[in-house]
Structures are given as C-alpha cells and as structure tokens.
Amino acid sequence: MPATPRTQAPPSRIRIQLVRPTIEEGRWPVKRTVGDIVAVSGDVFRDGHEVLRAVVRFRQNGETDWSEAPLTPVDAHHNGVRWAGEFPVDVAGPTHWTIQAWVDVFSGWRDEIARKLDAGQIDMSGETSEGVVLLRDAASHATDPADRSALEAAAAALENGEPVAQALDAGLAEIVERVAPRSEVTEMPAPYEVYVDRVLGRFGSWYELFPRSFGGFKGVEAQLPRLAELGFDVLYLPPIHPIGHTHRKGRNNTLVAGPDDPGSPWAIGDETGGHDAIHPELGTLQDFDDLVQAAAEHGIDIALDFAINASGDHPWLKEHPEWFNRRPDGTIKYAENPPKKYQDIYNLNWNTDDWQNLWNALLKVVRHWVDHGVRVFRVDNPHTKPLPFWEWLITEIHSTHPDVIFLAEAFTRRAMMRALAKLGFTQSYTYFTWKNHRWELEEYVDELAHTEEAEYFRPNFFVNTPDILTDYLAEGGPPAFAPRLILAATISPTYGIYSGFENFEHVQRPGAEEYIDNEKFETKQRRLDGPLLPLVQRLNQIRRDNPALQRLENLQFLETQNDALVAFAKREGRNLVITVVNVDPHTAQEGLVNVPYELGVPPSFTVTDLIDLGRYDWHVGGNYVRLDPWERAGHVLHVDTP
Amino acid sequence: MPATPRTQAPPSRIRIQLVRPTIEEGRWPVKRTVGDIVAVSGDVFRDGHEVLRAVVRFRQNGETDWSEAPLTPVDAHHNGVRWAGEFPVDVAGPTHWTIQAWVDVFSGWRDEIARKLDAGQIDMSGETSEGVVLLRDAASHATDPADRSALEAAAAALENGEPVAQALDAGLAEIVERVAPRSEVTEMPAPYEVYVDRVLGRFGSWYELFPRSFGGFKGVEAQLPRLAELGFDVLYLPPIHPIGHTHRKGRNNTLVAGPDDPGSPWAIGDETGGHDAIHPELGTLQDFDDLVQAAAEHGIDIALDFAINASGDHPWLKEHPEWFNRRPDGTIKYAENPPKKYQDIYNLNWNTDDWQNLWNALLKVVRHWVDHGVRVFRVDNPHTKPLPFWEWLITEIHSTHPDVIFLAEAFTRRAMMRALAKLGFTQSYTYFTWKNHRWELEEYVDELAHTEEAEYFRPNFFVNTPDILTDYLAEGGPPAFAPRLILAATISPTYGIYSGFENFEHVQRPGAEEYIDNEKFETKQRRLDGPLLPLVQRLNQIRRDNPALQRLENLQFLETQNDALVAFAKREGRNLVITVVNVDPHTAQEGLVNVPYELGVPPSFTVTDLIDLGRYDWHVGGNYVRLDPWERAGHVLHVDTP
C-alpha cells in the first residue's frame, strides 16, 4: 500500500483493481506506438458513501515528473465502480502509469448537505460546523490570495449563520478541489508499463535480400532509390559476417561444399572474425556504414540478422571453449534436431558456468551494430535460446536505444511465440504463410486482432522466406502470388517479401517446403525487375495513404457467400477500406460481399479500387464481386463517402 | 526465481505461466471444501527440445512437508505446453500449492538416441559417452543397492560397446527418474492458495429466528429437535446483545419507542455491556453455552450476527470516544445515508488514530464468541466497513479456527460484493430475492455458476429476511412462496429462511419492501408450525440425499418453451436431478422441458418426483409438464437411470 500522509495510518480503504490494459496483472507491458492514445480503465471503490476521485498518472521514458489525466466513472453494469480515461504517448520506450484515487471530502459534504436539504432537514448546525472546518483547511493550503479570501469568506459566512445552501456554490467547490490536499490518497501497488515503440514497430513494409546476390553493400546501396520508390521501409539482410569453412554446406543443403560454394550466411564466423565482423566479399565496415546512412536518407532502416550460432571456425570456439556444448568424450556437438542436422553450426551452451560473460558478449554484439546505426534486428530462432536471456538483452538495449525493433523469427508453439512477444520482442513471424483457406485465415487473424494477444503480439506477415516456399505458391504458380501479396499487405500493418517472390519463383527442392537452388547456399545474380513489383509499389503507397491499413485490431471480416472470397473492412477515423481477395488461384470466383450497416456507411455509396482506380456503386447489403485469378486477384476498395 | 543447485546459475529457462485456478494471478485464493479434488493446470515450457516433467506440490493447513501429485501434458491447442493434474484437500484452512517443473535429462537423451536410430545413424560414440555419464551420475544417487548395480551395469555395458539400443530399456529409465536429481528445477514465483472450508461453507440449510420471539435461549433450545427434524444445519440469531435506550426505535421503525418496545437488536450495547454481553431477557452466558452445545448435538451450528455499530449507550462511547465520528462542534454522528437515518446507531470512525486498538477490540469480540463455540458469523453490512479490516480479521480468526464461516450481508454494488468474497468471506447474501422472472434468474445464476466468480463467491439464497419482503411475495401471496422455496433450495447449495416465511407472511409496511410490524422492533410469539414446513423438511432431505444439489457450478438451464417455467439439471457423478418450477403464482403453466442428449441420459428413462414420489416416463427431447400454482409449485425429479 502506498504511504498515506499520517504515520501509522490504517491501510487504505480505497480499492483499485482489474486495471487495464495489462498482461497477467502487471507482469508484462502492453505495446503501443508513438502518437497513440492509451485508453485505461479500472475498478475504483471504497466502503461507505464518500465521493471518490481518480486520475491516471503517467511518466514517459526519460521524464522525472508524473503527469495526470482525468478518470471518470463509466459502465452502469459495474454500478459506477469502473473508471476510465486516457493518456497520450509520444516518447519511445517504457511509459509507466498508475491509477491514483482519493476521497473528495468537501464534495462528499456538499452531497450530504444537498440530500438533507432535499429531505427537508432544518437543523444543520452540526453539518455547518464540518463545512467551516473543511473550508478553513482548504484556505490554509491556498497559494493564491484570491482563493484564500474566497474560502475564508465562505467559512465565516457559514459560521455566522448564513444559509448552508450558499456553501453548495460550484465555484467554491472548484476552488476547494484545486487547493485542498487529497485525502486517503491511494495508488496501485506498483505502476504498470506500456512499451512505446516508434511507429515502424507497428507499421512497415519489409524487403529481404542477400547482399551477395546484389554485388555486396555497394551493389545494395545502388538499389536504395528503387527500394524507396517501391515503398519499402525496412531492408533486411541475412547475416553479413564471415562464413565458416568447416563442414560448409554445398548447394541445395548438400554436406560437401564445392570450392566455389559460398556457404550459408547463418554458419557465422571464421578465423577473421565472428558476429562483429563483416564478410570481406560484401565490403568493409565503412561500406556498411555508408549503406546504413544512404538507406536512412531514403527513409529505409537496415535490419540485421542476429543469429546466435557459430561455425566451427568462429573465434569464440578457441577463445571461449566453455561456451559450447561438449560431449564427455570432448567432441563439440553441432546443432541438430534429429533427424535434422546442422553440421555447419554449433550452438552455445547456455548452462555454462561462464553464462554472464556469454550474455555480455552477445549484448556487446548487438550494441556494436546499434553503434553502427542499426535499429532493427531480425532474431534467428529465438525460441531455442533462454527466455530470460532475451528479456535481459532487449531491456538492456532499450534502456539506451528505446527505438530498436526486434523481430522474432519464431515458428513454433503458440505459447512460446506469445512468451517471446510478452518479454519484449517488437514483432514476430507468424503462421500466415500456412493460412491459405478462408476459414483458417479468418480464424487466425481474428485471434491476432481480437484477443488479448493484440495487446502485445505484433505479426509481421512475410509472404515467403528463404526457408519457406509453401505448397500453395508452388502448386498455384503465378496466379497464387498476387492474392497472398494483397492479403499480407492489407491484413497486417507490417508485412514482408523475400526477393524472388516478385518473380513468381515457385519451384521447391523435392521433398522440402523450400526453394530449389536455395539462395542460402549459393550466390544469385538479382535485379529489382520482377513483374509483381508494380503491384507491390501500388500496395505500399495505398498502405501509406490509408491509416485504416496501418492497424490490425480494426479488422472485421465480411461475409461473401463464397468460401474462396476473403473480404474484410478496416476503419480508422473516417478512413474506411474494404479488401476482397480470391484465394483460389485456379478459378474465377464470384460472390456477394455483405456490407453491414454497423460499418457506419450510408445506404448507398461509391467505392474506388485503389489498385486500378475503378469506381463502383456499393450499398449496405450484398455487393456482387467477381475475381478471375488471371486478371485481378483482388480489390482494395476505398469507401468514398463513409 | 527459485534457487537452483549451483551458485550463480543462470535464471531458469523453464517458464510456468497462466496457472489455474487462481484469482488475479495469485492475488486471491479460490475456495474449495474438505473432500474436494482441486484440478490445476498451467503452461510449462522451455526453449529447446529437452524433455520436461512437472508436478503440483501442495501443503495443507498445518502440514510442514510438501506433497506431490503428477501433472501430465494436455490440450493439443496449446501444442502440449499445457499441463494438468489434481490434488485432494481434506483439511480446513489454506492449502498452498505450486507447480514444479524440471528437465528430465536422461529421457531427453533416450529420445535423441531413439530418433537417431530411426534415422539410421551408425556412429553413436559421442552419444554413448553422454549416456555413460548420465547413468553413472544416477547410480551415485541411488540408495537402493539393486538400483545402483543396475545403473552401473548399464553404464559399463555402454562403455564396453554394447548396442546403445539396450540403454533405451524402460525399466532403466524408471530407475533413473526415481533416483537422479531433478535438473533445472523451477517453481512458480510464489505458491498459490486454495482456501478450504468445511463442507458447511458450501452446503447448508439456514433458519433465522429472533430468540426473543421464542422465549429466549431456553425457548430456542426447545426448538432444536424440531429444527433438526426439519433438516436445518444452521440456526442464525440476530444480535443477542443488550439494546440501547437512547433514541430507541419504536414499532414499525418509529422514532419514539413506547415503554414496552424492545428496540432493534442491531442497536447494540447499553450500560450493562456491548458486543460481548448478552441481553438479560434472552438468558445468561451459560444459557447461551447450553444452546450452542445442544445445537451441536443436533448437528446444528449457531450463527451469530456480527454488527459493527453501537447504540448511544454502548460502553465504547465512554471508554473509547475517539473510536466514533464527532463533528467539530463535539456532537457524535449517528448512522445515516440521507434521507435514511439510523438515529439509534452510531458508526465507528475507522480513520481514528487509535485504529489498531479498535481493530483488536473487534477481533476480541469475534474471538470471544468463537471461544464460546460459535463457528458461523453473519456479518452485518460489511460493505460499509474497510475492506482491509475484513481481510485482516478473517485471516486472524482462520489462523486459529479455519472452520469459521463468515456470511457477508452485503446487498450493494457487484464489485464490492465480489471484493468481500475475494478477501475471505465464505458466503454472501445475493440479489436472488429480486430475481423472479425466468430470464433474470437464468442470467444471474449463470453468472454465479459459470464465470470466474464461481471460484470464490458462494451465494446464500435467503428467500426472505427481516429487511426484505419482496413485492413478488407480497403480491403473489401464498402461491408465490413454494416456487421461491424450491428455487432457492435446489439452485443454491446454501439457502435460508427467516421465520414467518413458512406461514406465508406477506404484508408489507406501506411504502417499504419490508414486513409490517417488523420483528426487528417488536417481540412476536412464534412457533414452528407453518404450513410450508413439510415442504421445507422434504426439500432439505432431498438436498441431503442428492449430491447434485450440493453444488452450483454443475447447474445447466433447460429450455421449456414457456417463460414462466424455469427448468434446470444438475449432475454429480451418477446423481442427476432436474428441477422444474412455475414462477407465475397466478396461473397454471404448461410447457415442454427439453432434455438434451448431452446430459448423458438414455433415449428413454423414468424420473421420480422426489417431493411426492410420482413417477413419469421421460425421454431425450421435450417432456410435457403442467404446473398449477395452487396444486403443485414444481417438480424435483430424480433421473432414475442416468
């Protein structure tokens, strides 16, 4: 219980409970972004008939003083014990907030007097004597002489037998509320936290490429104007570090590399350096710094891959042999999940006695790249590393750089993915690539958008990755690509593309849900010239122009009377967008998109397809749509008169 | 995090979260009764592929050692991270429990070997060396020589090149699991609590009477055989203390008492004593002790009223004037809630600087009556006293007498009623008397039975009280009484009757929802001879015979195709009871009670009306029922072949 003014005061009689938003009653912060308004609520009540007041107190990252915003009683269902209010967040990092409540003694006195006057009570001498004390006490705290004299005059009038009704004057109450100390001040046992990310934590378009396939850092730098033109916000690079030679993988994940095989960038480290070094074929550290700066000038963040594994040639194996798992016979264990084997990678021994140095070394790696201007990290397989490590590392980085974004590359059990998001990961990869039918998309997206998960788990809908070429794309071929692109870009405020997608690359390595001739194991010659790029550019522009597409929790699926037609509406303020996509890549599909009146539209209205600017007359009720996968994968419709 | 065996070990990698049952993540206990099985569950997971084990550890009131019960993975939806199990509670008081999880290193090793054998791996030398170490380590912890030699033999065989498959023997794993220390042992940050009441906390039939209307304690004692015969478990007496003279209320709550008016028992205290004294007209303390003992011999608990208010003549006003609210002009404030006034009662000043002595004095009052054998207290208006006081008082009493039951007489905001239940009140009065239509009964009871509230809030369905004679009873007259009685007795495991109900007393004081000539202000001459008593006796017997009626959470409302017919089923094990009540006291009603196949009944079955032993053929689907309020208020049907 917070301290009350008197020593040895009894415990507070005011109860503050069921405060929202929070995860697990204060254990984890909820997430917001700069510029958001945080809506809060809580039960505030006390025994007896006293008049209570409540505020939300909040302190943004770096601030020393607490600010206050009003709370007001809401919700008749809770009989007025539910209070609600809001406060703005405009600084990245943790904002702490609490609810403070107190007894408004003078208002309670006024209410009692008013009720007694209504009931016809004549003798008010006892009540009057209370009012005099309250007014005098307030006067003693007034700093403005005008306030003080007003309060003293009111007290004297009461004392001199003036009608008590005069003390009910609202102006007098306003002065008392302003100057009198709060009584029985009570706060929550501990403040709650909102973690505030910069807007990119919620809304952004990602592009992934292997820099070696674009001629290294200088070659990538040359692509920046085009990437900016395409509307990308983040350029994500797989690991840029030296690649080990020992057990290097060959093309198509074969066990023996040829002399020209470059190896997997995730087999990090050789005799020249490890996680803080740069692969010499990509360029120099200066080239990297140049790339980061040039990208920033184009409004693009460079995202690095943070993959905690080491090739057999990583310097740490010699410098810190105790950081690696060894068998009793002395051999080091490579990474494996039988029958899968990663012979080119060694995992760390997280249970080493030297764990504190290990943790600090990893923190130092991240700090190194932060110091070189990197503010976005895609974290490789975080679910195979200890959760307490991530909580510590992210908190450490955020303590100096609250704007750093961590994307969890976790495709694993839902509880683990949620745990990573709760402890601090800004965003996460998702099951989106495997949700291709209408029913499973709706089920999954409704969970992401409309359960408690929406408070802390931000999806990043990649349409493909070097590891994932789904059967849906492989079997559907080119007509399957645009629907997936439109769904990712309009459902999720953050989405991504790995290069090759725009060229309809869709041949799997036999027996694997992966690309044949995977770029992980060989260098490609790539250019930004894929036939899907005009649609990508259009969608990214639409996303920037329409605030409705920059949030997820506002998504509402619409009935279409056709299981191959996915439709949903999103509204932000006056901006209302309806997306309709045919998820059948083989056949034209037609249906009726039902616009419910609850969307707040007039009975008839026009919509503009933001992709091709076609206009249609729509109305509340069913609206005919036909989508032929070879002609048009979907509509992204702006409601012109919402 | 709990300590792990090594010093400076890294924080545990095992996460235990979303553990149930609890209220607000450990803030409040859930409630159970002696003999219950507590079902628990929680997410238990860790990074990596290690094999986890988990148990629930529990320690009942008074025990020093922790017991263990197994947890097993459940629920495919959580991908196996959800574990569940149960433990029994058979001691009244707080049972503490926690989940403990650990890494089963040997099982993980076995799994890895098995998967590698399946994958055709030949060279197992590294894996073998690990197995030898694990087996030797287990052997070093074995206390049984047979275990030790089995483990050492297996280690030697592995070391000598025997096939590794031999080490997969299940018997070997069983020995290792039994003797090897648990690795990475992890528990919840703090144990959770289940408060275990004696069964009367959940299931009991209450009768309330004013002892002065039955000739004092001796007169009441004479009623005990009949009360036991009627099936009552608790006999609740309004305050038995001296009654003040100052501002004593007269008949029908008038301001001036006549010379023979006895006053309200809630105006506690006169010059002869206060809360620990006995009104001389009721008898002596010895008479009271005799009553308590005689009641116990009939299996009946005497419940006292704990009303924290004082008449103007209470000794505390002189001994502890600082315990009472005084105006600046020196006058003491009587209790009021304008325009309501309680001129015969003074409330305590809970904010007094002497609050600790005040709290202790009140505790001493409760202890006094506990020392005289009282184990049930009906607490008057707890919602007008500080919540922290109640939490402290109940915890103090339960620390020495965990079997004491506290019933909260709170008719107020839902949040306050819930808060009282969370902090420790065993039971609470409810809104039941005002829920007379089918829709509102179903809505209210579903909330009580099927929301989180069911974990901590136990309703006590009084059909009337000295303060409550509802319009429904007043207007419905005698035909309205039996339906309410059946509903209370069959919906709620705990219910109560205030004397007079069985006589169909139903005349209100004009303008009030209260009895005319209220017994609070005058002495009646009462006998246990009301015409409803045979039905009361029958219902109480039915309740004892049918475990299904002793719980609330098992209630399921049934469709009847008639808004005047309330029907519900309750099942406990093989005991299945269906109740049907006509809540229209004016008109015969007919309908079809729909028995869904989900109730687990055969297509056709017989039911026996436990009130009149009539038998009927029923079936899955609609079953015709006609209830005439002048003939039969309802059925309580035992399903004979569930």
Side-chain angles (χ1 to χ4, degrees), chain B residues 320-552:
Chain B
H320 302 283
E322 69 280 14
W323 290 359
F324 294 86
N325 284 307
R326 267 165 213 282
R327 290 219 171 77
D329 65 0
T331 54
I332 302 189
K333 296 176 75 163
Y334 54 74
E336 57 181 340
N337 181 14
K340 286 190 189 171
K341 294 164 186 267
Y342 308 92
Q343 294 92 338
D344 55 343
I345 291 173
Y346 294 95
N347 283 336
L348 291 164
N349 172 20
W350 292 96
N351 289 347
T352 174
D353 287 339
D354 197 39
W355 63 274
Q356 285 163 318
N357 285 326
L358 170 60
W359 285 28
N360 281 314
L362 293 165
L363 174 62
K364 202 173 149 195
V365 166
V366 179
R367 282 221 183 284
H368 172 78
W369 296 112
V370 168
D371 290 343
H372 284 272
V374 177
R375 292 290 180 276
V376 184
F377 293 89
R378 178 269 197 192
V379 177
D380 190 74
N381 276 324
H383 56 289
T384 61
K385 286 86 187 174
L387 294 167
F389 165 74
W390 292 122
E391 189 173 357
W392 171 82
L393 179 110
I394 293 171
T395 304
E396 286 288 318
I397 294 295
H398 278 170
S399 71
T400 54
H401 296 83
D403 57 341
V404 173
I405 290 168
F406 292 92
L407 165 63
E409 188 242 1
F411 302 101
T412 182
R413 298 171 295 184
R414 196 70 174 270
M416 174 59 83
M417 294 175 71
R418 288 175 172 150
L420 291 163
K422 286 177 188 173
L423 67 79
F425 277 90
T426 321
Q427 306 180 345
S428 176
Y429 281 69
T430 70
Y431 307 146
F432 169 68
T433 44
W434 299 287
K435 305 292 184 185
N436 294 291
H437 297 292
R438 177 181 146 191
W439 70 269
E440 60 189 0
L441 260 172
E442 291 189 355
E443 180 185 73
Y444 185 55
V445 172
D446 273 335
E447 280 182 23
L448 294 174
H450 303 134
T451 67
E452 186 191 61
E453 197 167 77
E455 294 281 14
Y456 62 89
F457 184 97
R458 295 202 194 94
N460 188 331
F461 274 11
F462 263 84
V463 290
N464 67 329
T465 80
D467 291 323
I468 306 171
L469 172 62
T470 60
D471 293 345
Y472 180 87
L473 292 176
E475 290 164 10
F481 280 59
R484 297 295 300 172
L485 178 66
I486 297 173
L487 288 171
T490 55
I491 292 176
S492 184
T494 297
Y495 87 109
I497 295 169
Y498 154 59
S499 63
F501 184 88
E502 66 266 27
N503 292 305
F504 304 121
E505 291 181 6
H506 66 283
V507 181
Q508 294 174 333
R509 175 154 56 88
E513 198 186 31
E514 241 185 51
Y515 289 89
I516 188 91
D517 303 329
N518 196 315
E519 199 171 1
K520 285 197 290 182
F521 307 109
E522 58 192 87
T523 301
K524 308 274 188 186
Q525 297 302 320
R526 288 205 184 271
R527 288 189 299 172
L528 288 171
D529 58 1
L532 255 180
L533 287 180
L535 180 59
V536 168
Q537 180 171 357
R538 188 76 206 122
L539 286 168
N540 285 344
Q541 188 61 48
I542 292 169
R543 287 159 48 83
R544 289 186 179 172
D545 292 344
N546 290 273
L549 298 179
Q550 298 169 15
R551 297 195 176 267
L552 177 59

Side-chain angles (χ1 to χ4, degrees), chain A residues 97-158:
Chain A
W97 64 279
T98 185
I99 288 178
Q100 182 179 100
W102 65 94
V103 174
D104 184 342
V105 180
F106 188 70
S107 287
W109 179 82
R110 287 178 76 222
D111 283 5
E112 184 186 325
I113 297 297
R115 286 197 282 172
K116 287 180 174 176
L117 288 173
D118 282 350
Q121 183 172 328
I122 307 296
D123 178 12
M124 293 277 197
S125 54
E127 290 78 0
T128 296
S129 71
E130 291 178 311
V132 169
V133 169
L134 293 174
L135 290 165
R136 290 254 157 82
D137 180 64
S140 75
H141 290 91
T143 50
D144 182 334
D147 288 342
R148 195 178 321 120
S149 56
L151 294 167
E152 278 170 356
L158 264 188

